[in-house]
Amino acid sequence: MKQFSNSAPILAAALLASAAPAGAQSLDQQINDGFAAATGWFVNFIFSAFPGTSFPWIVAWLVIAATVFTFYFVFIQFRAFPHSIALVKGDYSDPNDAGEVSHFQALATALSGTVGLGNIAGVAVAVGIGGPGATFWMILAGLMGMASKFTECTLGVKYRNEYPDGTVSGGPMYYMTKGFAERNLPAGKFLAILFSVFCILGALGGGNMFQANQAHAQIANVVGDYPGWITGIIFAVIVFAVIVGGLQSIAKVTEKVVPFMGVMYVLTALVIILMNADQVGWAFGQIFEGAFTGLGVAGGMVGALIQGFKRAAFSNEAGVGSAAIAHSAVRTKEPITEGFVSLLEPFIDTVVICTMTALVIIITGQLVSDPNTGIYLLDEGASTIQTIDGNKGVALTSAAFSSAFGWFQYVLAIAVILFAFSTMISWSYYGLKAWTFLFGEGKSKELVFKVIFCIFVVIGASASLGPVIDFSDAAIFAMAVVNIIALYLLMPIVKRELHSYQSRLKSGEIRKFH
């Protein structure tokens, strides 16, 4: 583990050094070039290590795992749903249990890491490429993913480290080492180190740089073009002010920001849906028809299925392992209870919020289909019709909402900022726990990571989208591969915990505190 101790600071220093102005290039361009040069080897290594790897491959990896867990635990996401709500309400919470945050705060922290730009732009891309039918598969994948979250978050709490000062550390790296040892399985330590490295990179990429990059893009769309490093510095200062206070500081922010931004976004969507109530039945008809028919090229059944599953998998992160780190900090002595709470996360993120976005896009008629090719297009007025891609996602969502409320572009800019900010502070905690697993606990070691994290906020806002997405996708892909291997091998332990808890709950040994 010693070999990793100085790599991240050196990388960050090199990136900033390469950002120095040179010739006619802007500071943003210099930062982008430096980042692309410094991380290209990692992207190439990950995807060359898995020949033929593409998004459908990793989506299949996540969805198959979710299906296995759903059947193995006999549809636990539906059976335990009422009890999950009771746990979030605090009905079974003992304030004397070990941990740092409540069930609700743990859920809010984890949600803040998943509810984000994917719910705004990602869903639009899925529907834009796969058609309305992508919504059906997105909902199905979200429901199945609830079982993956249940599995990984139960293990996260069961094998966490609890320290004398009341703090805890948990996540895949801990259940890989302790759980594998308990079952006499080899390579647990190796997988834990591998996951920790990928988690740090994922935190710096998808959980940080991508958020800063897209937040700057949306702000620039409203106020006009300006250098990204300015946005980056402002975000970095605010993020550092929050994360320097530790998880309790993060939880206090996320438990306020997440409900606010979620309610604001969903209420706006509900108003638009109610304004077009006569179109709701037609919209669901389009969703089901598109899910099971082969009409069109990109919008046929296969295209809809891939796009729907892709959006759900990358929106709720079920199986990636990141949320298990946040949920591990909960106050409880029953690991299975946080498994129950965590299964609400894909439901809220994907089944509720993502579906709301899709319905608004379909109902408002901003998406048009080419009658000759079946390819879906963004209708930007009489003069311009463009195909949907990664850069048109926010534009499609903005157009759909703005068709009802002309001022929505400003609300969307606020929502993007809040989504990006909450995702960054949550992923800073995920990366920090992976960092301390590799290098040990201690305020000075933690401060090093927090500074590096904030440096990458500036880099992300300054760099172009392409290198940022490539780096982020490679890291999250690698996290999921390692984590799901561990979940398959440790799921019998989760079943044992589940049976024990259910029998004690039925006998009355476990009872409500409130």
Coordinates of all heavy atoms in Angstrom, one line a residue, residues 120-130 210 214 307 310-311 367 375-378 380 385-397 465 469:
I120 N -31.4 14.6 -14.5 CA -31.8 15.7 -15.4 C -31.4 15.5 -16.9 O -32.2 15.5 -17.8 CB -31.2 17.1 -14.9 CG1 -31.7 17.4 -13.5 CG2 -31.5 18.2 -15.9 CD1 -31.1 18.7 -13.0
A121 N -30.1 15.2 -17.1 CA -29.5 15.1 -18.4 C -29.5 13.6 -18.9 O -29.9 13.3 -20.0 CB -28.1 15.7 -18.5
G122 N -29.2 12.7 -18.0 CA -29.0 11.3 -18.4 C -30.3 10.7 -18.8 O -30.3 9.9 -19.8
V123 N -31.4 11.0 -18.1 CA -32.7 10.4 -18.5 C -33.1 11.0 -19.9 O -33.6 10.2 -20.7 CB -33.8 10.8 -17.5 CG1 -35.2 10.4 -18.0 CG2 -33.5 10.2 -16.1
A124 N -32.8 12.2 -20.1 CA -33.1 12.8 -21.4 C -32.4 12.1 -22.6 O -32.9 11.9 -23.6 CB -32.8 14.3 -21.4
V125 N -31.1 11.8 -22.3 CA -30.3 11.1 -23.3 C -30.9 9.7 -23.5 O -31.1 9.2 -24.7 CB -28.9 11.0 -22.9 CG1 -28.1 10.1 -23.8 CG2 -28.2 12.4 -22.8
A126 N -31.3 9.0 -22.5 CA -31.9 7.6 -22.6 C -33.2 7.7 -23.4 O -33.3 6.9 -24.3 CB -32.1 7.1 -21.2
V127 N -34.1 8.6 -23.1 CA -35.3 8.7 -23.8 C -35.1 9.2 -25.2 O -35.8 8.8 -26.2 CB -36.3 9.6 -23.0 CG1 -37.6 9.8 -23.8 CG2 -36.6 9.0 -21.7
G128 N -34.1 10.1 -25.4 CA -33.8 10.7 -26.7 C -33.3 9.7 -27.6 O -33.5 9.7 -28.8
I129 N -32.5 8.7 -27.1 CA -31.9 7.7 -28.0 C -32.8 6.4 -28.1 O -33.0 5.9 -29.2 CB -30.5 7.3 -27.5 CG1 -29.5 8.5 -27.6 CG2 -29.9 6.2 -28.3 CD1 -28.2 8.3 -27.0
G130 N -33.3 6.0 -26.9 CA -34.0 4.8 -26.9 C -35.5 5.0 -27.0 O -36.3 4.0 -27.1
F210 N -16.8 15.5 -13.1 CA -18.0 15.6 -14.0 C -19.0 16.5 -13.5 O -19.6 17.3 -14.2 CB -18.6 14.2 -14.2 CG -19.8 14.1 -15.0 CD1 -19.8 14.3 -16.4 CD2 -21.1 14.0 -14.4 CE1 -20.9 14.3 -17.1 CE2 -22.2 14.0 -15.1 CZ -22.2 14.1 -16.5
Q214 N -20.2 19.9 -15.6 CA -21.5 20.2 -16.0 C -22.2 21.4 -15.3 O -23.0 22.1 -15.9 CB -22.4 18.9 -15.9 CG -22.0 17.8 -16.8 CD -22.1 18.1 -18.2 OE1 -23.2 18.1 -18.8 NE2 -21.0 18.5 -18.9
Q307 N -30.8 1.5 -23.3 CA -30.7 2.9 -22.8 C -31.4 3.0 -21.4 O -30.9 3.7 -20.5 CB -31.4 3.9 -23.8 CG -30.6 4.1 -25.1 CD -29.3 4.7 -24.8 OE1 -29.1 5.5 -24.0 NE2 -28.3 4.2 -25.6
K310 N -29.1 1.3 -18.9 CA -27.9 2.1 -18.7 C -28.2 3.3 -17.8 O -27.4 3.5 -16.8 CB -27.4 2.6 -20.1 CG -26.2 3.4 -20.0 CD -25.9 4.2 -21.3 CE -25.7 3.3 -22.4 NZ -25.3 4.0 -23.7
R311 N -29.3 4.0 -18.0 CA -29.6 5.1 -17.2 C -29.8 4.8 -15.7 O -29.3 5.4 -14.8 CB -30.8 5.8 -17.8 CG -31.3 7.0 -17.0 CD -30.3 8.2 -17.0 NE -29.4 8.1 -15.9 CZ -28.1 8.3 -16.0 NH1 -27.5 8.4 -17.2 NH2 -27.3 8.3 -14.9
L367 N -39.8 15.9 -27.9 CA -39.1 14.8 -28.6 C -39.8 14.4 -29.9 O -41.0 14.1 -29.8 CB -38.9 13.6 -27.7 CG -37.9 12.6 -28.0 CD1 -36.5 13.2 -28.0 CD2 -37.9 11.4 -27.1
I375 N -35.2 7.5 -35.7 CA -34.3 8.1 -34.7 C -35.0 9.3 -34.1 O -35.6 10.1 -34.7 CB -33.0 8.6 -35.4 CG1 -32.2 7.3 -35.9 CG2 -32.1 9.4 -34.4 CD1 -31.0 7.7 -36.7
Y376 N -34.8 9.4 -32.7 CA -35.5 10.5 -32.0 C -34.6 11.8 -32.1 O -33.4 11.7 -32.0 CB -35.8 10.1 -30.6 CG -36.9 9.1 -30.5 CD1 -36.6 7.8 -30.6 CD2 -38.2 9.5 -30.3 CE1 -37.6 6.8 -30.6 CE2 -39.2 8.6 -30.3 CZ -38.9 7.3 -30.4 OH -40.0 6.4 -30.3
L377 N -35.3 12.9 -32.2 CA -34.6 14.2 -32.4 C -35.2 15.2 -31.4 O -36.3 15.1 -30.9 CB -34.9 14.7 -33.8 CG -34.5 13.8 -35.0 CD1 -35.1 14.3 -36.3 CD2 -33.0 13.6 -35.1
L378 N -34.3 16.2 -31.1 CA -34.7 17.4 -30.3 C -35.2 18.5 -31.2 O -34.5 19.0 -32.0 CB -33.5 17.8 -29.5 CG -33.7 19.2 -28.7 CD1 -34.9 19.1 -27.7 CD2 -32.4 19.5 -28.0
E380 N -35.8 22.0 -31.8 CA -35.4 23.3 -31.2 C -36.0 24.4 -32.0 O -35.6 25.5 -32.0 CB -33.9 23.4 -31.3 CG -33.2 22.3 -30.4 CD -31.7 22.6 -30.3 OE1 -31.1 23.1 -31.2 OE2 -31.1 22.2 -29.3
I385 N -33.3 21.1 -35.9 CA -33.7 19.8 -35.3 C -32.4 19.0 -35.2 O -31.7 18.8 -36.2 CB -34.7 19.0 -36.1 CG1 -36.1 19.8 -36.1 CG2 -34.9 17.6 -35.5 CD1 -37.2 19.0 -36.9
Q386 N -32.0 18.6 -34.0 CA -30.8 18.0 -33.8 C -31.0 16.6 -33.1 O -31.9 16.4 -32.3 CB -29.9 18.8 -32.9 CG -29.5 20.2 -33.5 CD -28.5 20.9 -32.6 OE1 -27.7 20.4 -32.0 NE2 -28.6 22.3 -32.7
T387 N -30.0 15.7 -33.4 CA -30.1 14.4 -32.7 C -29.7 14.5 -31.3 O -28.9 15.4 -30.9 CB -29.2 13.4 -33.4 OG1 -27.8 13.9 -33.5 CG2 -29.6 13.1 -34.8
I388 N -30.2 13.6 -30.4 CA -29.9 13.6 -29.0 C -28.5 12.9 -28.7 O -28.3 11.9 -29.2 CB -31.0 12.9 -28.2 CG1 -32.3 13.4 -28.6 CG2 -30.7 13.1 -26.7 CD1 -32.5 14.9 -28.3
D389 N -27.7 13.6 -28.0 CA -26.4 12.9 -27.5 C -26.1 13.4 -26.1 O -26.9 14.1 -25.5 CB -25.3 13.2 -28.5 CG -25.0 14.7 -28.7 OD1 -25.3 15.5 -27.8 OD2 -24.5 15.1 -29.8
G390 N -24.9 13.1 -25.6 CA -24.6 13.5 -24.3 C -24.6 15.0 -24.0 O -24.9 15.4 -22.9
N391 N -24.4 15.8 -25.1 CA -24.4 17.2 -24.9 C -25.8 17.8 -25.0 O -26.0 19.0 -24.8 CB -23.5 17.9 -25.9 CG -22.0 17.5 -25.7 OD1 -21.6 17.4 -24.6 ND2 -21.3 17.2 -26.8
K392 N -26.8 17.0 -25.5 CA -28.1 17.6 -25.7 C -29.1 17.2 -24.6 O -30.3 17.5 -24.6 CB -28.6 17.1 -27.1 CG -28.0 17.7 -28.2 CD -28.5 19.2 -28.4 CE -27.8 19.9 -29.5 NZ -26.4 20.3 -29.3
G393 N -28.6 16.4 -23.6 CA -29.5 15.9 -22.5 C -30.1 17.1 -21.8 O -31.3 17.1 -21.6
V394 N -29.3 18.0 -21.3 CA -29.8 19.1 -20.5 C -30.7 20.0 -21.4 O -31.7 20.5 -20.9 CB -28.6 19.9 -19.9 CG1 -29.2 21.2 -19.3 CG2 -27.9 19.1 -18.8
A395 N -30.3 20.1 -22.6 CA -31.1 21.0 -23.5 C -32.5 20.4 -23.7 O -33.5 21.2 -23.7 CB -30.4 21.1 -24.9
L396 N -32.6 19.1 -23.8 CA -33.9 18.4 -24.0 C -34.8 18.6 -22.7 O -36.0 19.0 -22.8 CB -33.8 17.0 -24.3 CG -35.0 16.1 -24.5 CD1 -36.0 16.7 -25.5 CD2 -34.7 14.7 -24.8
T397 N -34.2 18.4 -21.6 CA -34.9 18.5 -20.3 C -35.4 20.0 -20.1 O -36.5 20.3 -19.7 CB -34.1 18.1 -19.1 OG1 -33.7 16.7 -19.3 CG2 -34.9 18.2 -17.8
L465 N -15.4 18.1 -21.7 CA -16.2 17.0 -21.2 C -15.6 15.6 -21.6 O -15.7 14.7 -20.8 CB -17.6 17.1 -21.7 CG -18.7 16.1 -21.3 CD1 -18.8 16.1 -19.8 CD2 -20.0 16.3 -21.9
I469 N -15.3 12.5 -18.9 CA -16.3 11.3 -19.0 C -15.5 10.0 -19.1 O -15.8 9.0 -18.5 CB -17.3 11.5 -20.1 CG1 -18.3 12.5 -19.7 CG2 -17.9 10.2 -20.5 CD1 -19.4 12.7 -20.8

